[in-house]
Amino acid sequence: MGDQQKLSAFLFHVSIVFVMFLLVSASQEHKKAKGGHSSKKDHNMKKLAVLLATAGAIMSIKNFNNSFNNNHQRLGVALYGIIWLQVLVGIFRPQRGSKRRSLWFFAHWIMGTAVSLLGVLNVFIGLQAYQEKTSKSITTWNILFTVQISLIVIFYLLQEKWVYIKNQGVIWDN
């Protein structure tokens, strides 16, 4: 894998896995503490994630064979489209209390969830395409990525249910 491909993959990986995960974590905690409103920090992290994904997209368009003859490339283009569609939907958000707000929220949420899930799936598809193209083993990368995603899911679920776990007496507060 060339340096350009590694950098493009890294930028997209960081934008999807790390920044979005941190954003969800920070955003949920902040919203619980501040009554449901997002902070400027949340919005800046969203902008950073979109910029990183866009940089990865520009690099892949400029530097790679874009014949779109494999699922990794096709799904990648769809992901970039969904990311920017979500940005546009976010810009045209209806006012709180509006009848359209719940539909907007669902659409915005489903797009974000789809990007997260499809982004993870696309990493595995990309690794498979890499193995087919180079005949190099991807076992180590599959294991590392699976561990990373598993840790993120466990952290997310623990964070989501932390108050419930504490109330059940499983965790003792000193």
Side-chain angles (χ1 to χ4, degrees):
M1 187 182 306
D3 289 341
Q4 294 289 332
Q5 287 174 312
K6 288 178 185 174
L7 183 57
S8 175
F10 176 75
L11 288 173
F12 193 72
H13 177 81
V14 167
S15 72
I16 296 298
V17 176
F18 286 115
V19 176
M20 288 300 184
F21 167 71
L22 293 172
L23 174 65
V24 167
S25 298
S27 180
Q28 286 178 348
E29 289 304 309
H30 179 77
K31 285 179 184 178
K32 287 177 188 173
K34 300 294 181 189
H37 299 285
S38 294
S39 70
K40 188 171 182 89
K41 179 182 172 186
D42 293 341
H43 292 288
N44 289 337
M45 289 181 73
K46 290 174 188 174
K47 290 175 190 174
L48 176 62
V50 170
L51 290 174
L52 288 171
T54 302
I58 290 169
M59 288 183 66
S60 66
I61 290 168
K62 284 179 63 176
N63 298 311
F64 308 141
N65 171 15
N66 291 310
S67 58
F68 301 103
N69 59 356
N70 67 50
N71 292 331
H72 177 68
Q73 291 174 329
R74 288 186 214 121
L75 185 53
V77 169
L79 282 167
Y80 296 135
I82 294 169
I83 288 169
W84 276 100
L85 180 60
Q86 188 180 27
V87 168
L88 291 174
V89 167
I91 290 171
F92 297 108
R93 172 179 61 202
Q95 294 290 342
R96 288 186 188 274
S98 162
K99 290 181 181 181
R100 297 180 307 146
R101 182 66 179 230
S102 60
L103 178 63
W104 170 87
F105 177 81
F106 179 75
H108 193 65
W109 174 82
I110 201 75
M111 282 187 277
T113 301
V115 165
S116 297
L117 295 175
L118 293 174
V120 169
L121 177 64
N122 204 31
V123 169
F124 286 111
I125 292 171
L127 286 171
Q128 187 65 39
Y130 173 74
Q131 182 180 31
E132 290 171 9
K133 188 173 184 175
T134 64
S135 299
K136 293 182 180 179
S137 175
I138 58 169
T139 303
T140 303
W141 291 110
N142 276 334
I143 291 169
L144 289 172
F145 192 64
T146 301
V147 167
Q148 177 187 18
I149 295 302
S150 298
L151 290 172
I152 288 171
V153 168
I154 289 167
F155 179 76
Y156 177 79
L157 292 174
L158 278 174
Q159 172 191 318
E160 191 68 21
K161 296 296 181 186
W162 187 252
V163 173
Y164 176 78
I165 291 169
K166 282 175 62 175
N167 289 339
Q168 297 303 308
V170 176
I171 305 294
W172 295 273
D173 238 353
N174 291 334

